[in-house]
Amino acid sequence: MHIISVINLKGGVGKTTIALNLAATLAEQGHRVVLIDADPQRSATQWAQQGPRAGGPGPLPMAVHPLQ
């Protein structure tokens, strides 16, 4: 098992965007992926709940879970 963390103290630097795109790319390549949304704003979780991907045929290819 590998763990990849996208971390930066500054807001607005693209952490959520990078994490979602990296997770989706790895999942589409056949890797088992779970994205844990540890951000208090829960942006990744909200994006995942919005339905189909902008450029794709269906929902995100991996699970997204908020850290509670």
Side-chain angles (χ1 to χ4, degrees), residues 43-65:
S43 298
T45 302
Q46 291 172 11
W47 288 3
Q49 292 171 346
Q50 289 184 11
R53 292 180 281 163
L60 293 174
M62 76 286 184
V64 178
H65 298 283

Side-chain angles (χ1 to χ4, degrees), residues 17-28:
T17 302
I18 290 169
L20 278 169
N21 282 289
L22 178 61
T25 299
L26 290 170
E28 288 174 343

Side-chain angles (χ1 to χ4, degrees), residues 2-68:
H2 297 281
I3 298 173
I4 300 172
S5 300
V6 180
I7 300 169
N8 192 318
L9 294 176
K10 185 178 180 323
V13 297
K15 296 178 296 289
T16 300
T17 302
I18 290 169
L20 278 169
N21 282 289
L22 178 61
T25 299
L26 290 170
E28 288 174 343
Q29 291 177 353
H31 298 278
R32 289 181 19 182
V33 176
V34 175
L35 189 139
I36 305 298
D37 187 1
D39 188 336
Q41 293 180 2
R42 293 203 167 108
S43 298
T45 302
Q46 291 172 11
W47 288 3
Q49 292 171 346
Q50 289 184 11
R53 292 180 281 163
L60 293 174
M62 76 286 184
V64 178
H65 298 283
L67 184 66
Q68 298 185 9

